[in-house]
Amino acid sequence: MKGTRPLNNNEILLVSACFDGSFETRNRGLFMLGVSTGGRISELLSLRVADVYQNGRPVTDLLFDKSIVKGKETSRAVPVNVDGRLAIAELVNWHRDRYGDLDADRPLFPSRNKQGQQQMSRRTAHDVLKSAFEAAGLNGHLATHSLRKSFAQRLYDRTGDIFAVQEMLGHRNVSTTQKYLGVNYASVRDALEEMAVSGELPQIHLLGSSLKKETDETLFLELALRGYDLSSLRENDETAAEVVKIG
């Protein structure tokens, strides 16, 4: 979805803890597999159990078959990291507990209806993810496409290889991939510090005196400079952070 933003690792951890109810595992699995493989929401919802669980264990490479990818032209394979494999293992156990068996042809993310034989709808996916984003206290434009953007941004931040990101996302043109990627503010901040010719200055708390940890300050700076309202966030649920208003 145009304009949606990616999530960083801290935000992903926050969101992953905000699913609940009888379909908690299904919903968290969708989120974690999305941010771990970069699949489009339509591709994720089209997955079957057999696509992710083979030979008695989670796959290490996930194939998005051309029958479910956008344009239905080319299949693509994406390595599945430990986050994705753990999500798959939890989903498989959930399937066994809920349905009493492990039907290889059952949708990996089943609807609440028809004993799991129908896949979860895009509207339901949007609603459960939106609820988790809100429960995590996140701001900014977040939607189902944020999962794919989170994968792309984090992969690029670690590799610097836009062509690898292009291949993992299945984009025809690298120009499309470029539109997915923003500035990693924490990296920019470090680079600017390395450029400085002056000595150390007295510590200035740009985001308020309550933000004393460098890791927290970096996170808040990055979010604040992206234009998010952080006025409701609190440190240790006790002291409200004073946030510099941007724009």
Side-chain angles (χ1 to χ4, degrees):
M1 182 182 295
K2 185 177 180 179
T4 55
R5 73 171 180 88
L7 292 84
N8 59 35
N9 283 358
N10 288 341
E11 292 174 318
I12 288 171
L13 286 172
L14 284 173
V15 174
S16 68
C18 290
F19 297 97
D20 55 22
S22 59
F23 280 77
E24 171 186 348
T25 301
R26 179 199 67 175
N27 299 340
R28 183 171 54 248
L30 174 66
F31 173 71
M32 292 305 300
L33 207 57
V35 298
S36 300
T37 67
R40 298 177 178 90
I41 194 64
S42 59
E43 296 169 346
L44 294 169
L45 295 178
S46 296
L47 292 173
R48 303 280 165 171
V49 171
D51 295 324
V52 301
Y53 194 76
Q54 299 170 10
N55 300 317
R57 59 183 181 270
V59 297
T60 55
D61 296 276
L62 176 59
L63 178 68
F64 289 108
D65 190 79
K66 66 180 182 180
S67 64
I68 66 173
V69 302
K70 185 177 181 180
K72 300 184 183 300
E73 293 182 355
T74 306
S75 301
R76 75 178 187 281
V78 180
V80 182
N81 68 9
V82 65
D83 291 339
R85 297 195 301 273
L86 286 173
I88 292 170
E90 290 183 352
L91 282 164
V92 166
N93 289 334
W94 178 80
H95 272 262
R96 287 196 179 106
D97 291 342
R98 184 168 185 85
Y99 302 109
D101 62 11
L102 192 62
D103 183 349
D105 197 44
R106 183 183 295 123
L108 182 62
F109 304 107
S111 165
R112 289 177 177 268
N113 304 318
K114 298 186 178 179
Q115 290 299 304
Q117 295 308 309
Q118 182 176 321
Q119 71 186 42
M120 182 183 189
S121 70
R122 292 185 65 161
R123 168 50 59 182
T124 299
H126 170 82
D127 290 344
V128 299
L129 291 171
K130 180 180 178 181
S131 295
F133 295 148
E134 291 176 350
L138 303 186
N139 294 302
H141 191 181
L142 295 165
T144 54
H145 207 55
S146 294
L147 279 57
R148 185 166 162 84
K149 283 195 170 183
S150 300
F151 169 83
Q153 186 68 57
R154 295 188 303 145
L155 179 58
Y156 181 71
D157 288 346
R158 283 157 180 77
T159 65
D161 187 344
I162 194 170
F163 296 104
V165 179
Q166 176 190 5
E167 183 172 343
M168 293 300 98
L169 293 179
H171 287 157
R172 291 183 182 178
N173 302 310
V174 74
S175 59
T176 303
T177 310
Q178 287 176 311
K179 296 176 183 177
Y180 271 59
L181 306 176
V183 173
N184 182 327
Y185 188 77
S187 297
V188 173
R189 183 175 186 272
D190 290 343
L192 291 177
E193 286 296 337
E194 293 173 2
M195 290 166 53
V197 296
S198 304
E200 286 292 326
L201 295 176
Q203 187 174 11
I204 300 174
H205 297 296
L206 296 177
L207 299 179
S209 59
S210 63
L211 297 178
K212 299 185 184 297
K213 295 182 180 178
E214 184 177 349
T215 54
D216 290 340
E217 183 176 306
T218 299
L219 171 60
F220 276 71
L221 275 169
E222 183 166 355
L223 295 178
L225 290 179
R226 289 189 184 188
Y228 308 131
D229 178 12
L230 307 180
S231 59
S232 63
L233 294 182
R234 296 175 179 271
E235 185 182 60
N236 298 324
D237 295 326
E238 293 178 359
T239 307
E242 301 167 21
V243 180
V244 175
K245 186 174 181 59
I246 307 298

